[in-house]
Amino acid sequence: MIAVAHRRRAPVAILSALALTLAACSPAATPASPTAAPAAPAAAPKPTTAAAAPAAAPTSAQPAAKPAAGAAGTVSCAEFATQGGGGAPIKIGADGSLTGATANFGTGMKRGIEICQKEFNDAGGYQGRKVDITVLDDQVKPEIAVANVTRFLQQDKVIAIIGPVNSGNALAFLPKTEEAEVPVIVPISTSVQVVYVDAEGKPSPIYGEPGVKPRKWVFRSSMQDNFQVETILGYAKSKGWDAIGLMNDTTGYGTASKQTADKLIPAGGFKILANETYNVGDTDMTSQLQKLKAAGVKQIINFGLGPEDSNLLISAQKIDYKVQFSGAWGFSDPLVPQLAGKELTEGVVTVASFTPDQSPAAADFHQKMLRDYKEDVFPVTSAQSYDATRMMLMALSKSGPDSAKLRDAIENLDGFKGVTAAPSKPFGPDRHHSLEGKDMFAAVWKSGELVKAQ
Amino acid sequence: VDALETLLRGLPQAIASGLVYGSIYALIAQGYYVTFSTTQTLNFAQGDFLMIGGLLAFTVFGGLLMTGAPLVVALFAALAIIPLILALMGTLVERVAVRPLRGAFSLGWILSTVGVAVILRNAGEVIWGIEQKPVPSVFGDNAIRVNAGLFQFGILPQEVFILAGSLLAMTVVLVFLKRSLLGKAMAAVALNASAASLMGINVRAMVVLAYIISSVLAGLAGLLVVPVLHAYALMGVLPGLKAFAVAIIGGLGNPFGILIAGLLLGIVEFVVAIFNASLRDAVTFFLLIVILAWRPLGLFEKPSMEKV
């Protein structure tokens, strides 16, 4: 008689482990890749104040009956329309996530584009020709984004493209639009490398390194990550925050923002007491928060996305940690108050380019959203997309429907006035982002709405 | 000394959170145990059955709360509906994805149940959307806090419910398997299916029953965790994977080993997070690999002797 160890199960177990890993890989990767896509709100510059003075008080109460330009301080895309003999519609493509993990961002984008398009076409379009902006859903999947853009370029023969929401999708399709020499304005995605490349033409994750220059055909009206870091640190400085803890998720987005912060912190003279990280999908961050609490951290500056941001708020409440939360625009995702509740979100500070109370033009635009859609799901995404479309149509009114001339007209835009905080000269030969740290501002959650922080 | 103080400070909270999450992993892993012990097969869609349970809870809660029904009613409605649907799904998976592929030496059921997992995820995405949706807790959101000097931790009432609910569910299943006639019949099938069949036990029915039990367990786990994990199509991916690690570490044939391994793994995760949160998930799967190489039958299982 021989005794044999019963090992029959081992190989099955190993194989099973393999299989499970396989099962997890493909779909699990999808939620991680949608890097934060920030909306670019334009700064409402000072020049509006004189004209806006009479309208300033009752802004939110106004029903904003007409999109007509000229009401004190407000803007409309009708301003760029010209009359003429008409002709075939001018085609522009738009790509973004109308479904998927970042559906809120894409839906906001689509609505902002639609409002501008309608105002422009109703007022006559370009010399009587309408612009036809087709918005396609990429479901947060890079391969679908590429298919959409291929369709725009080859089948629809668009003169320009607006989009997308997700940085990964942008990086997937931009080589095609660059090759086709079609201008793109990115309204939501925030990653530096979407717009900037290094000396060898490779996407550059760090802004401001020597040799880094913009892609020739790509512009953005969104809040570039490095400037968001600048804005929130500027706010911390102005408030005299003296016991700061940094947190970031472990995605490329979170770590890049953390690196930017690390570069800016020594010069700003900040007192950083502790650093902590968390993974995408984490729901309980009590271990990390307890360390920050023990270190005496009173203000947390965080670089993450909506779902994890809301779990941070819940975890802090669990361990009775009353701390000032702040961070990049992940905190402005409407998911945060939905998942964590309005109460926990109250007072959280984030970075914005748009809040309805930020200027008369912004208030008016918010009313247009409510009028047309009965809701303003993710205000900053709609505003940045509205401004992206405005920039494109303003340039079109000068250049005519030719991609190369349109690109130059976008780069040389002057006298721009939008609903976000974008400056009047949004771009230049070396600068393809409209919003800088000084244009963006801190916004704070008050009873479920984002308002400009004082 | 510094690290020790950090550890001591963080330990109570890590244990509290770890027990909660560990009990979830253990509950799902018991589902792997039930089918593996009867049929030598696993349902790799177990984590996604949890997701279906969670999303069904979202729908039932949403629907009933809109009519003004109180939360407790919604909870009981979900408790009635979810096991029913999950039992149906378990039967279906066994019939369609496992039974036809269970020949000698066949490993086809691994791929087919993985296929079921992918189908469920996509279906969940299509029906409910991929974005996370909140589901309210019947017990409210006010954390229970213990504060005694260094010994501090907080826990949500729902998390206490998760811990209690999953321990209860596991006990019921184990008592059923060890004590009831049906449970003994299942054990007989596990030991020797042809002999059991000769003794008048309906082998097919026992196999289906095993799949029903494991699926219902996953569905109930979904109902328990959804207020904490939020409802979305990928909510079951990580818990399902970690439960698998727990089942391997505890031993696929050892329900008590699974329970202990689950709770331990939960605690280990949160203790690791005290030092380096980004390593949290990595540690789980590192342990899985170590156990597979060192004790492939699980941490607590002695290799049984087979006489030849």
Side-chain angles (χ1 to χ4, degrees):
Chain A
M1 275 199 302
I2 309 161
V4 177
H6 184 319
R7 291 207 150 224
R8 191 156 41 110
R9 286 173 190 171
V12 178
I14 297 169
L15 253 169
S16 314
L18 262 175
L20 248 190
T21 323
L22 247 173
C25 275
S26 51
T30 337
S33 52
T35 334
K46 298 281 141 65
T48 57
T49 46
T59 38
S60 56
Q62 283 176 356
K66 278 186 228 159
T74 64
V75 297
S76 161
C77 293
E79 296 154 35
F80 313 124
T82 45
Q83 310 305 318
I90 297 166
K91 293 201 167 175
I92 294 175
D95 169 86
S97 53
L98 304 180
T99 59
T102 51
N104 277 331
F105 296 74
T107 306
M109 178 190 101
K110 179 164 186 272
R111 292 173 175 179
I113 292 172
E114 282 171 353
I115 290 185
C116 184
Q117 178 187 10
K118 182 162 189 307
E119 288 173 345
F120 183 75
N121 284 342
D122 286 354
Y126 175 76
Q127 297 182 352
R129 293 170 69 184
K130 303 231 180 290
V131 290
D132 175 5
I133 309 182
T134 310
V135 185
L136 292 183
D137 180 14
D138 65 23
Q139 303 169 30
V140 200
K141 292 175 181 151
E143 67 276 13
I144 299 184
V146 170
N148 289 347
V149 165
T150 310
R151 184 197 124 164
F152 288 145
L153 297 175
Q154 291 175 1
Q155 191 180 323
D156 299 348
K157 309 272 184 224
V158 299
I159 58 155
I161 287 173
I162 299 171
V165 168
N166 308 88
S167 299
N169 292 10
L171 292 171
F173 78 60
L174 286 177
K176 285 199 176 287
T177 58
E178 291 279 284
E179 194 194 325
E181 308 199 325
V182 164
V184 177
I185 301 185
V186 180
I188 314 283
S189 152
T190 52
S191 175
V192 174
Q193 53 191 335
V194 166
V195 176
Y196 289 92
V197 291
D198 63 19
E200 280 125 51
K202 294 205 187 75
S204 166
I206 310 285
Y207 179 77
E209 297 278 288
V212 167
K213 57 179 195 308
R215 294 176 200 260
K216 187 174 177 198
W217 299 86
V218 184
F219 303 83
R220 76 161 18 121
S221 64
S222 53
M223 298 187 282
Q224 195 161 298
D225 288 331
N226 61 303
F227 296 120
Q228 291 198 43
V229 177
E230 226 177 281
T231 304
I232 196 69
L233 285 175
Y235 180 78
K237 182 122 195 133
S238 75
K239 289 288 155 184
W241 287 1
D242 55 356
I244 298 173
L246 294 180
M247 292 193 90
N248 64 279
D249 71 23
T250 48
T251 63
Y253 161 70
T255 36
S257 292
K258 170 72 166 48
Q259 280 169 8
T260 309
D262 285 343
K263 276 207 301 191
L264 295 172
I265 280 162
F270 292 100
K271 199 170 166 205
I272 307 294
L273 299 183
N275 297 287
E276 285 294 329
T277 63
Y278 50 88
N279 296 329
V280 166
D282 278 4
T283 44
D284 185 323
M285 288 88 151
T286 47
S287 294
Q288 298 96 308
L289 288 169
Q290 206 158 40
K291 269 172 84 182
L292 296 184
K293 190 182 180 187
V297 168
K298 288 187 216 138
Q299 303 95 13
I300 291 176
I301 299 179
N302 167 55
F303 308 110
L305 303 183
E308 287 74 34
D309 286 0
S310 63
N311 290 331
L312 272 179
L313 302 180
I314 296 168
S315 298
Q317 188 256 356
K318 209 157 95 177
I319 58 167
D320 201 16
Y321 183 21
K322 292 182 183 68
V323 61
Q324 170 68 57
F325 273 103
S326 70
W329 81 317
F331 270 129
S332 57
D333 191 328
L335 264 182
V336 177
Q338 275 168 31
L339 295 177
K342 282 183 195 173
E343 238 171 84
L344 293 186
T345 315
E346 187 77 8
V348 171
V349 174
T350 179
V351 176
S353 63
F354 174 91
T355 54
D357 66 341
Q358 153 234 358
S359 72
D364 179 53
F365 177 70
H366 182 58
Q367 290 305 322
K368 286 177 192 168
M369 285 295 294
L370 296 180
R371 179 197 64 203
D372 287 4
Y373 301 101
K374 311 272 180 280
E375 56 177 6
D376 197 353
V377 178
F378 197 165
V380 75
T381 58
S382 297
Q384 287 178 175
S385 306
Y386 181 80
D387 272 6
T389 318
R390 263 182 86 71
M391 288 167 184
M392 199 163 268
L393 296 182
M394 184 179 180
L396 173 71
S397 71
K398 295 184 171 127
S399 70
D402 173 274
S403 290
K405 286 183 194 154
L406 181 62
R407 189 215 88 97
D408 294 342
I410 294 171
E411 193 167 81
N412 295 314
L413 277 178
D414 204 354
F416 177 80
K417 183 175 173 318
V419 295
T420 69
S424 68
K425 190 160 177 14
F427 305 117
D430 305 316
R431 168 185 167 167
H432 280 196
H433 57 270
S434 61
L435 294 156
E436 301 222 301
K438 61 179 161 43
D439 302 312
M440 299 174 208
F441 52 88
V444 60
W445 283 103
K446 282 262 182 292
S447 340
E449 304 275 339
L450 266 180
V451 298
K452 194 167 180 172
Q454 295 309 308
Chain B
V1 180
D2 240 20
L4 192 68
E5 203 203 316
T6 317
L7 177 67
L8 284 179
R9 239 177 227 286
L11 211 51
Q13 181 66 47
I15 292 174
S17 294
L19 286 177
V20 171
Y21 282 76
S23 69
I24 304 288
Y25 305 152
L27 181 58
I28 308 169
Q30 299 295 356
Y32 292 128
Y33 156 70
V34 173
T35 57
F36 193 78
S37 66
T38 349
T39 67
Q40 301 271 310
T41 58
L42 303 175
N43 176 11
F44 281 109
Q46 196 76 356
D48 301 279
F49 277 50
L50 171 144
M51 172 267 290
I52 297 290
L55 284 166
L56 283 173
F58 167 76
T59 306
V60 171
F61 274 57
L64 279 178
L65 294 183
M66 265 207 293
T67 67
L71 266 172
V72 186
V73 174
L75 179 67
F76 280 106
L79 261 175
I81 293 170
I82 291 172
L84 219 66
I85 296 183
L86 267 292
L88 207 69
M89 286 172 57
T91 316
L92 213 68
V93 163
E94 196 277 332
R95 185 70 197 84
V96 176
V98 180
R99 196 187 300 175
L101 297 164
R102 259 189 73 215
F105 304 113
S106 165
L107 296 173
W109 56 269
I110 296 182
L111 275 181
S112 63
T113 56
V114 167
V116 169
V118 174
I119 292 169
L120 285 180
R121 267 169 231 172
N122 288 336
E125 225 181 294
V126 170
I127 300 170
W128 285 285
I130 203 172
E131 59 277 14
Q132 303 196 6
K133 289 166 281 287
V135 175
S137 164
V138 178
F139 307 98
D141 298 324
N142 291 321
I144 304 159
R145 300 196 188 97
V146 172
N147 197 340
L150 266 184
F151 190 79
Q152 299 183 358
F153 69 89
I155 188 165
L156 295 171
Q158 178 71 29
E159 293 180 322
V160 178
F161 182 53
I162 290 175
L163 186 55
S166 48
L167 290 179
L168 180 73
M170 276 184 260
T171 315
V172 168
V173 167
L174 289 185
V175 168
F176 170 79
L177 288 180
K178 300 286 174 199
R179 295 286 152 87
S180 77
L181 205 59
L182 270 178
K184 285 176 182 160
M186 285 171 72
V189 170
L191 200 65
N192 188 334
S194 42
S197 165
L198 287 174
M199 292 291 139
I201 294 172
N202 185 341
V203 173
R204 283 210 168 157
M206 291 307 116
V207 169
V208 171
L209 184 62
Y211 268 83
I212 289 179
I213 293 175
S214 89
S215 305
V216 170
L217 279 181
L220 289 178
L223 172 63
L224 284 173
V225 298
V226 73
V228 173
L229 296 190
H230 312 307
Y232 63 111
L234 298 173
M235 68 182 281
V237 176
L238 215 51
L241 266 173
K242 288 185 178 168
F244 181 72
V246 163
I248 296 297
I249 294 171
L252 266 170
N254 183 351
F256 297 102
I258 288 176
L259 174 60
I260 304 295
L263 298 179
L264 276 180
L265 190 74
I267 294 170
V268 166
E269 271 188 5
F270 281 89
V271 171
V272 169
I274 296 176
F275 297 104
N276 188 338
S278 23
L279 290 180
R280 213 181 99 168
D281 297 339
V283 166
T284 308
F285 298 108
F286 177 71
L287 285 178
L288 170 70
I289 292 167
V290 169
I291 295 288
L292 274 178
W294 175 51
R295 303 200 62 155
L297 296 181
L299 202 51
F300 309 107
E301 207 161 336
K302 291 191 204 89
S304 60
M305 297 298 166
E306 211 171 65
K307 286 172 183 170
V308 179

